[in-house]
Amino acid sequence: MTKIRAAITAVNGYVPDYILTNKELEKLVDTTEDWILTRTGIEERRILKGEGKATSDMCVEAINKLLEKRGISAMEIDMLIVGTVTPDMVFPSTANIICDKIGAKNAWGYDVSAACSGFIYSLVTASKFIETGTHKKILVVGADKMSSIIDYQDRSTCIIFGDGAGVVLLEPSTDENGIVDSILRSDGSGRNYLHQKAGGSLKPASHQTVDAREHAVYQEGKTVYKFAVKNMADVSAEIMERNNLTSDDVAWLVAHQANKRIIDATASRMGLGPEKVMLNIQRYGNTTAGTIPLCLWDYEKQLKKGDNLIISAFGGGFTWGAIYLKWAYNS
Ligand code: UT7
């Protein structure tokens, strides 16, 4: 029997119109344009403005255009998985809300909470439903409205994050293209260095938690940076070795966009020059689960059928991992 692989057959993204520049951040916190650019590579990020606008709204924009591009209807979707740490509500899941908004009446789905690894965790999970042959069309979304959990008085976090959503369609492939291999890891002891203190069952919302600004991202940047550099580089090198890939075999590195210095370190460990590294951190900042599908969207026209892609991410949890996939289409 021919082995079924899960292939990405369409990609799309959405970023809000409002551009938050480094110059504007200079007015909010004690920072400089130059510090932000040299330490992170970020020039600007997008912010979702407007009463009643949530993560699902960005996803709906991205998905509706994807369906149009691929020429299929929402009724054909079997399943939808959303990687996010900024769900519209604690429950129900953002996946449920999106399915309702796009009219995907035959789909089921759920959210995956893995912070910046949310998209790769979701993609690997979805691929298993395709490989078993039970599902034919799955939307995998990575999206975060980070501005909803950022403290714009905290200069160590507010300069990094932005809002955005990306989506891919996964379908079965019987040629050799699609997801070939993946390595996913987690280490919950890392939770101390990157988390949101209040709003969960450990510390429900109260006047005190609001006053203490505990509903925002807390990050010990230097520690997270050290773990991110080591683990993202290690896992990317490991997946290459285990699949006998040399740097010449790899067409693209699609890395989580948290800090340009982390991406550079990963590329260097893999022996890749900058021409093989997808980069859009300068325009969107760190959109958490959104970065990887937004990269695929931005670079879609440059991707060729059969290209070997290494996707890798590191994030809160800690969570991290890498995926080796063969790109399945020419656009
Ligand atoms: O996406 C999921 C995982 N997250 C990450 O991968 C993020 C990992 N961490 C990072 O990217 C970096 O650690 C940051 C960009 C967050 C910070 O860069 P850094 O080079 O690690 O800076 P630092 O935290 O070591 O701080 C260096 C100095 C400090 O001043 P002193 O103590 O040396 O006087 C900070 O107070 O820079 C100061 N600083 C700033 N200065 C100007 C921190 N934030 C700012 C700022 N503007 N925004």
Side-chain angles (χ1 to χ4, degrees):
M1 212 173 90
T2 324
K3 186 172 166 23
I4 299 172
R5 275 190 178 152
I8 295 176
T9 57
V11 57
N12 203 50
Y14 172 82
V15 289
D17 292 336
Y18 188 87
I19 298 174
L20 176 59
T21 61
N22 291 348
K23 200 84 200 145
E24 194 177 341
L25 282 164
E26 281 184 354
K27 295 185 201 135
L28 299 177
V29 288
D30 180 15
T31 192
T32 63
E33 265 188 295
D34 185 53
W35 192 96
I36 301 171
L37 189 60
T38 52
R39 293 294 187 134
T40 68
I42 302 168
E43 289 168 28
E44 57 189 41
R45 65 291 290 138
R46 301 298 181 103
I47 303 295
L48 184 64
K49 299 267 186 185
E51 196 72 24
K53 292 278 181 199
T55 297
S56 69
D57 296 300
M58 296 191 293
C59 301
V60 168
E61 294 277 350
I63 292 169
N64 281 338
K65 285 222 173 64
L66 177 141
L67 295 174
E68 206 182 296
K69 262 166 88 171
R70 182 78 182 84
I72 58 171
S73 100
M75 294 295 278
E76 293 175 59
I77 301 301
D78 304 314
M79 185 181 193
L80 184 146
I81 303 183
V82 186
T84 189
V85 285
T86 51
D88 287 23
M89 299 173 173
V90 173
F91 72 91
S93 76
T94 314
N96 293 161
I97 297 168
I98 295 170
C99 285
D100 176 51
K101 287 185 177 176
I102 64 171
K105 293 196 184 306
N106 296 314
W108 70 290
Y110 48 83
D111 294 357
V112 167
S113 174
C116 298
S117 306
F119 181 75
I120 62 166
Y121 270 40
S122 301
L123 190 62
V124 172
T125 305
S127 73
K128 305 302 171 192
F129 287 93
I130 297 282
E131 287 166 11
T132 55
T134 58
H135 292 62
K136 305 286 181 225
K137 287 185 171 54
I138 307 182
L139 290 171
V140 183
V141 182
D144 274 295
K145 182 187 170 186
M146 291 306 291
S147 60
S148 66
I149 55 165
I150 290 300
D151 178 356
Y152 287 93
Q153 293 181 13
D154 177 3
R155 70 175 183 173
S156 67
T157 53
C158 74
I159 55 132
I160 303 170
F161 294 99
D163 302 338
V167 56
V168 300
L169 178 67
L170 270 194
E171 293 186 82
S173 138
T174 46
D175 61 20
E176 57 167 12
N177 296 319
I179 294 176
V180 181
D181 193 14
S182 61
I183 302 172
L184 296 178
R185 298 256 153 78
S186 75
D187 176 1
S189 66
R191 67 189 180 279
N192 298 324
Y193 308 108
L194 180 51
H195 58 253
Q196 182 180 317
K197 292 190 185 304
S201 59
L202 177 66
K203 213 178 204 193
S206 67
H207 286 293
Q208 285 86 342
T209 61
V210 172
D211 290 346
R213 312 182 79 81
E214 289 179 339
H215 293 270
V217 172
Y218 168 84
Q219 176 171 248
E220 292 180 25
K222 219 185 223 3
T223 309
V224 176
Y225 182 89
K226 278 186 204 148
F227 277 96
V229 164
K230 180 170 180 354
N231 289 313
M232 222 163 89
D234 280 355
V235 81
S236 306
E238 186 183 341
I239 205 158
M240 281 175 71
E241 275 157 34
R242 149 163 142 173
N243 290 280
N244 299 314
L245 295 171
T246 66
S247 52
D248 288 341
D249 300 323
V250 176
W252 293 98
L253 165 65
V254 196
H256 170 53
Q257 312 277 303
N259 187 319
K260 185 172 181 297
R261 291 182 290 145
I262 300 174
I263 302 167
D264 290 346
T266 303
S268 147
R269 176 75 181 280
M270 295 165 73
L272 302 180
E275 73 287 353
K276 289 187 171 183
V277 180
M278 293 190 188
L279 200 71
N280 60 15
I281 191 172
Q282 68 281 11
R283 290 191 289 142
Y284 308 143
N286 180 350
T287 55
T288 302
T291 64
I292 288 168
L294 284 173
C295 274
L296 292 173
W297 177 47
D298 278 347
Y299 283 82
E300 184 187 18
K301 290 204 163 47
Q302 296 180 53
L303 296 173
K304 293 185 202 64
K305 191 171 177 174
D307 274 356
N308 289 323
L309 270 59
I310 301 292
I311 301 179
S312 63
F314 180 89
F318 293 137
T319 54
W320 69 101
I323 296 171
Y324 164 35
L325 71 80
K326 284 185 166 292
W327 194 250
Y329 65 95
N330 296 313
S331 58

